[in-house]
Amino acid sequence: VSSASPFARRIARARAAMAEKQLPALLLTNIPNIQWISGFTGSSAFVVITPTDAILATDSRYNEQAAAQCPDYRVELLPTSAPDEVVKVLAAVAPPKLSFEAGHMTVELFGKYREKLDRGIELVPTASLVETLRLIKDPEEIEKIQAACILADRAFEHIVPFLKPGAVERDVMLELEWFMRKQGADVAFDTIVASGWRSALPHGRASAKAMERGDFVTLDFGARLDGYCSDITRTVVLGEPSDEQRMVYGVVLETLHGSIEGITAGRKGVEIDAQAREIIGAAGYGERFGHGLGHSLGLQVHDGPGFSKRSEITLEAGMVMTVEPGIYIPGWGGVRIEHDVVVTDGPARVLTHSSTDLLVL
Ligand code: ZN
Ligand code: ZN
């Protein structure tokens, strides 16, 4: 098995999950799921997996790309991706039951498939079948996430000299994004640059505000490199910090370290989140940490569930998670520090290496 391509191994994992649920055929319409299972990076395609077949169907725009990227698939070229054409491919497979991704199919499209498919084919909704498989990364994926993390670390190093009183948040955002794109990456999500009172906004996208002496500046950004995302947050302070700034930073940093120490295969996502809340709560800032502690990271920046009050996951080796505690005090400012980690049977392996010491600029 180890000599097979990562995509052949992922097809095998999907078939095992299908067999367990007694699903003879699976139609995939969600593009990140299709990319994960086939390697196809175009924006229009669908995949059909059966116990003996793996089909990727796309249109003529992607002719050469699909053949080159998906050697483990029978590639079918369709004149269009209209439901009529999709149904022809499905009819040729003729499964007794066809499962589809309920979270990624509109009611309108479902109606069209139901109308055009043979009445004898039962349509069975599935929920997060491939998303669940995607939670556990294979070595090829971890290597790509690591490369995206290294680029984010380099981008942080690049941006530090630009952080000073008078610098405009949007200019800093552009400089950061320019650096990552210049290295061949895309940005994984809208870059957050939030200074002073705006650092109390957990999702403070870069604005026209100029940075001032005494500001906390929170940068939260990521690179998407070869399809895979990194996601890192650092908070720096411009000029000597006040006692309260030092204290708040210290609590967030202690929570980050304490949380990472607790991460190992077998523990529950909800426990790791609760432990972080205990540390922040004991310091008196329990009400100031509203969001979940972290999320799964991969092809998408929010690649699945992670650490939150409602998390239902149990950690398994190969999961890649963010750990991002924060304290936000309206009108005053906030601190968030974020690492990306791989879950193992032992201690978590940290993929982001930028220093987490309070940087005084
Ligand atoms: Zn982030
Ligand atoms: Zn994050």
Side-chain angles (χ1 to χ4, degrees), residues 189 192 202-203 219-222 230-234 295 301-302 322 324 336 338 340:
F189 55 92
I192 290 170
H203 271 194
L219 304 171
D220 184 352
F221 61 94
S230 55
D231 180 6
I232 183 173
T233 307
R234 290 294 179 272
H295 50 86
V301 68
H302 284 214
T322 71
E324 48 185 304
R336 180 168 65 257
E338 178 176 26
D340 302 338

